[in-house]
Amino acid sequence: METVTISTMANQNILVSLASYLDPMLFFTLHEAVAKAAHPERLRFAVVDQHYASQRAAIATLPFAGLIRYVHVQVQDTLGVSWARNLAFSLYDGEQYLLQIDSHTCFEPGWDESLRRQHTQLLELAPKPVLSTYPYRFDMVDGVPHYTPPEGKTVLVLRPHPDTPLTPGGDVVLRFIAKHLFTDRPVPACHIAGGFVFCHGSFVDEVPYDPYLYFHGEEQSLAVRAWTRGWDIYHPLHVPLYHLYKAPNTPHDSHHWHGEVDRLRAFSGAYLTVRAAERLKRLLCGDGLPGAYGLGSERTLAQYAAFSGIDYRAGTVSDPFHGQLC
């Protein structure tokens, strides 16, 4: 691969936020993003590498090393995905666009132009659109990524999973599930998928990641805080990237809370899970949290409940799609 020359067109640049935890696919994802981009010179990477040893020397050998802002954090010093994504956001430097993905992602050719084009089209519907949903999967076969592009007849809509219902005064942490909606246009949405977020770069300043959350509930916090600040979330017609999902019923040694390293941390995974649940409940059912990690003032939580069908204070979930999802 030829060395990538850094562009001075800052108004076209995309900051690709990558929080990686013991992920052997990190370098694969970096190579994929650059190789498949129509304009790789307009990419900037914010890499937070939570690993036993720094990989800075290996980063420096990449032909596109000048595009990467790299931070290494020892695994015993990390506090979870929200904390790491908050750190990645701190590497923002005025790029026009933000793309947040997981560090095990592959891309279609021209993915950057596809996302820019869809974002521009959404600007006709909303001043601050966010593209987000769960990406379709890819699999590694003999070291080569394989994926099946969707037919383009449906949009993946994210809704609360029936296995985690809300109850009045109960736990507000929800799981979400993707369901198909037959449509030929982007779908206004109430939820953000942390593994695929594309929007204007000012999102970093307006909706900073809450570092006091842990894993469960981070997407709920981000979605509600963005929506109440006037950001409109859309599930797009086409997602030009794919995610390597864990096979069901298989152990995953790289979970943050897994293994002996959890005992070395100042805060255990169990404690961080409880703290995050309490913080999310305060955001959605309490005082809304003060400051940057709280609710916005453009819209109210009651308006979010009417729009989404998710009423955290009442502990109820209704279906705004009236059975159209499959």
Side-chain angles (χ1 to χ4, degrees), residues 180-192:
H180 291 274
L181 176 68
F182 284 93
T183 182
D184 60 357
R185 63 193 63 189
V187 177
C190 67
H191 192 61
I192 284 176

Side-chain angles (χ1 to χ4, degrees), residues 83-206:
W83 179 88
R85 284 176 169 163
N86 173 279
L87 184 55
F89 271 24
S90 74
L91 301 177
Y92 175 66
D93 190 37
E95 288 77 19
Q96 181 161 359
Y97 301 103
L98 167 72
L99 172 64
Q100 178 174 276
I101 57 174
D102 288 330
S103 52
H104 31 274
T105 299
C106 78
F107 297 80
E108 292 181 356
W111 64 267
D112 50 336
E113 285 299 287
S114 173
L115 292 177
R116 285 192 187 94
R117 181 172 59 253
Q118 292 184 76
H119 185 271
T120 299
Q121 293 168 347
L122 286 174
L123 287 173
E124 299 178 3
L125 303 177
K128 297 193 294 186
V130 179
L131 289 77
S132 186
T133 193
Y134 295 149
Y136 285 96
R137 71 175 297 119
F138 80 93
D139 295 287
M140 296 298 291
V141 180
D142 297 327
V144 178
H146 284 257
Y147 58 81
T148 301
E151 296 181 357
K153 298 178 180 179
T154 64
V155 167
L156 286 179
V157 174
L158 308 186
R159 295 298 300 163
H161 198 292
D163 288 351
T164 54
L166 287 175
T167 56
D171 189 0
V172 297
V173 176
L174 295 174
R175 289 172 54 213
F176 281 74
I177 187 172
K179 295 187 175 184
H180 291 274
L181 176 68
F182 284 93
T183 182
D184 60 357
R185 63 193 63 189
V187 177
C190 67
H191 192 61
I192 284 176
F196 167 58
V197 181
F198 186 81
C199 55
H200 194 273
S202 58
F203 188 92
V204 170
D205 294 321
E206 292 193 26

Side-chain angles (χ1 to χ4, degrees), residues 4-7 34 40-46 64-69:
V4 175
T5 302
I6 297 178
S7 169
V34 172
E41 74 280 1
R42 298 178 186 171
L43 303 181
R44 302 292 183 272
F45 294 93
F64 49 88
L67 305 179
I68 300 175
R69 300 159 194 165

Side-chain angles (χ1 to χ4, degrees), residues 237-257:
L237 282 169
H238 183 66
V239 181
L241 52 87
Y242 300 83
H243 185 276
L244 185 66
Y245 290 98
K246 182 177 77 72
N249 303 317
T250 58
H252 201 317
D253 292 342
S254 61
H255 277 147
H256 188 271
W257 51 86

